[in-house]
Amino acid sequence: MTETYKVTGMTCEHCARSVTEELSELAGVSDVAVDLETGAVTVTTEQPLAEADVRGAVEEAGYQLA
């Protein structure tokens, strides 16, 4: 299953890498794709993720879910 989230505050490849690393650590995540221009983060998982878990991972990376 695939979900797309809007993340604010990302401006560079380092930002994208940080968000990708944090989200990749969540159980069941198989892929993370970041589009810096739009702030879209697409997460592919085996099962649905709780939004609170996604929010926590994004915040751990230093950014905010919109």
Side-chain angles (χ1 to χ4, degrees):
M1 104 177 287
T2 302
E3 292 285 338
T4 301
Y5 304 92
K6 175 83 170 168
V7 176
T8 60
M10 297 185 301
T11 59
C12 64
E13 284 301 318
H14 174 75
C15 301
R17 219 173 14 258
S18 295
V19 169
T20 299
E21 287 174 10
E22 290 296 333
L23 287 170
S24 293
E25 291 180 9
L26 295 177
V29 172
S30 58
D31 187 54
V32 177
V34 175
D35 183 336
L36 282 173
E37 286 185 28
T38 64
V41 178
T42 303
V43 182
T44 304
T45 62
E46 297 169 6
Q47 70 266 348
L49 293 175
E51 185 172 328
D53 293 341
V54 174
R55 184 175 304 281
V58 169
E59 289 176 358
E60 183 67 29
Y63 306 96
Q64 299 291 318
L65 260 186

